Amino acid sequence: MCTYLTEAIPVDGSGKGARGWFEARKAIVYVDHPVHAPYGHTVNIDVLNPELGPSARVALELTEETALALADAIQQAIRSAPAGIASRTAVTQA
Amino acid sequence: MTDAMRAETITITGHGGDRIEAYLARPLDGGPRGGVVVIHHMPGYDAATKEIVRRFAAEGLSALCPNLYSREAPGADPDDAAATVRAAGGVPDERLVGDVAGAAEHLKSLDNANGKIGVIGYCSGGRQTFLAACSLTVDAAVDCYGAFVVNEPPPGRPIKMHPLLHLAPQLSAPLLGLFGAEDQYPSPEETKALAAELDRLGKQYEFHTYDGAGHAFFAVDRPSYRPEAAVDGWRRILDFFRTHLS
């Protein structure tokens, strides 16, 4: 059993899981054995809504190189858009 | 003599009288047969674990795997259930013991049962096998690369696990341990420390550590699979259960 440090954060948005779209409430990031990816360990990212049950989950299993690249891409996408356009405040004011 | 078997999802009574899901496979040739409780790995009550259950039935043993995540995630996909339970801190030790006890009682109640019970577990289930064999009276136990029997988990892990070495005096059955020389959890040093304690206590055990194998070398659907270790390990498991569950 090789579950390493789990990071859990509240999130605000939506995710699409096996049963369709749901309101995303929590994201967890951990390094563990993947279920599907053909590697011994991967960076696993789950976006969840615990109130809706275990199936309200979007799951990713990425190598650490691609997980870091994804994190950079998120930063870059936000930097290249008008400041604050995707923030919770901007949506509320739209 | 027939090689027919029956495999199916059933409901058993687990810890605290809870009704939990379980997967049963049993030979149909009348018996008498020993029973094996299969404790699934942390990724859950999945297709690979059910295949292990059926393998035991094909080899002449009744086998039953309780879904340890039944309560948190009834009906969920195994990976979704595992993610939920991992996030919640894992399966409490007391509940695990109660669920294994319930599975053992169910196996003993089968009409072809000989009353003998073995326990086997993989990954986190290896540790839980040691826990069950020190908490319940069983006839044989097989620990497949279970970590944190001797050592504390590294700090920061979300899963709440505590070492079990203090329970070793209560180990109720011969213990077969199968480990990988390249595994870090458990490391060869950890399994050596367990062996030393079992020696000190005069407990019956047999450990094998395979060169070239790491964690989860039995897992045929993962890159950690090591066929030489897995084939030899299966042979040892079946010999061990045939010896102690006949």
Side-chain angles (χ1 to χ4, degrees):
Chain A
M1 116 79 215
C2 301
T3 300
Y4 296 100
L5 184 64
T6 295
E7 301 291 338
I9 58 167
V11 296
D12 184 358
S14 292
K16 191 173 184 182
R19 297 180 187 170
W21 285 97
F22 62 91
E23 292 180 24
R25 288 286 173 261
K26 183 178 182 183
I28 58 176
V29 183
Y30 52 99
V31 175
D32 202 350
H33 306 302
V35 171
H36 187 269
Y39 300 100
H41 290 81
T42 48
V43 179
N44 300 334
I45 303 168
D46 291 340
V47 178
L48 310 162
N49 186 330
E51 291 181 8
L52 300 180
S55 299
R57 171 175 176 250
V58 178
L60 289 175
E61 297 173 337
L62 302 174
T63 62
E64 64 182 53
E65 295 87 347
T66 53
L68 290 169
L70 176 63
D72 288 343
I74 291 170
Q75 298 271 3
Q76 181 57 37
I78 292 171
R79 275 197 301 269
S80 63
I85 194 171
S87 79
R88 182 173 176 276
T89 306
V91 171
T92 303
Q93 291 175 344
Chain B
M1 190 69 181
T2 171
D3 61 357
M5 61 181 239
R6 178 171 177 142
E8 60 193 324
T9 300
I10 63 170
T11 302
I12 65 169
T13 302
H15 180 71
D18 295 342
R19 302 290 286 165
I20 62 170
E21 183 181 30
Y23 189 71
L24 172 68
R26 52 187 301 204
L28 295 180
D29 67 350
R33 300 290 181 180
V36 176
V37 180
V38 177
I39 304 178
H40 62 69
H41 57 171
M42 187 158 287
Y45 171 83
D46 57 5
T49 304
K50 291 178 179 177
E51 195 171 309
I52 290 169
V53 174
R54 291 192 296 272
R55 170 82 183 263
F56 282 120
E59 300 285 354
L61 293 155
S62 297
L64 181 58
C65 177
N67 181 355
L68 303 177
Y69 305 158
S70 279
R71 296 169 184 81
E72 290 88 353
D77 288 345
D79 57 327
D80 290 340
T84 297
V85 173
R86 179 191 290 109
V91 173
D93 283 351
E94 182 185 3
R95 194 178 90 184
L96 177 281
V97 172
D99 286 354
V100 172
E105 286 307 309
H106 190 90
L107 284 166
K108 287 181 181 176
S109 76
L110 297 176
D111 54 13
N112 68 341
N114 70 0
K116 299 284 184 70
I117 295 295
V119 182
I120 185 169
Y122 303 80
C123 180
S124 56
R127 175 186 175 278
Q128 290 165 331
T129 290
F130 188 81
L131 171 66
C134 293
S135 306
L136 305 168
T137 299
V138 297
D139 300 288
V142 182
D143 167 3
C144 300
Y145 33 80
F148 315 127
V149 172
V150 175
N151 296 340
E152 286 276 359
R157 288 195 176 216
I159 305 298
K160 302 177 188 73
M161 289 187 189
H162 304 288
L164 302 171
L165 199 60
H166 65 287
L167 299 177
Q170 287 94 56
L171 180 64
S172 65
L175 176 68
L176 172 64
L178 301 171
F179 309 110
E182 296 174 6
D183 201 345
Q184 290 179 286
Y185 301 104
S187 68
E189 290 69 31
E190 182 170 4
T191 60
K192 280 179 194 162
L194 176 57
E197 179 65 1
L198 296 176
D199 278 333
R200 189 185 72 78
L201 294 167
K203 297 292 184 181
Q204 187 180 347
Y205 74 96
E206 179 185 333
F207 284 3
H208 300 276
T209 300
Y210 294 98
D211 289 334
H215 198 72
F217 59 80
F218 279 111
V220 295
D221 57 345
R222 291 168 186 266
S224 56
Y225 182 55
R226 294 293 178 273
E228 289 184 3
V231 168
D232 186 76
W234 264 112
R235 179 183 63 77
R236 291 183 187 279
I237 291 166
L238 294 170
D239 286 350
F240 186 76
F241 280 151
R242 286 185 184 120
T243 298
H244 296 290
L245 304 184
S246 296

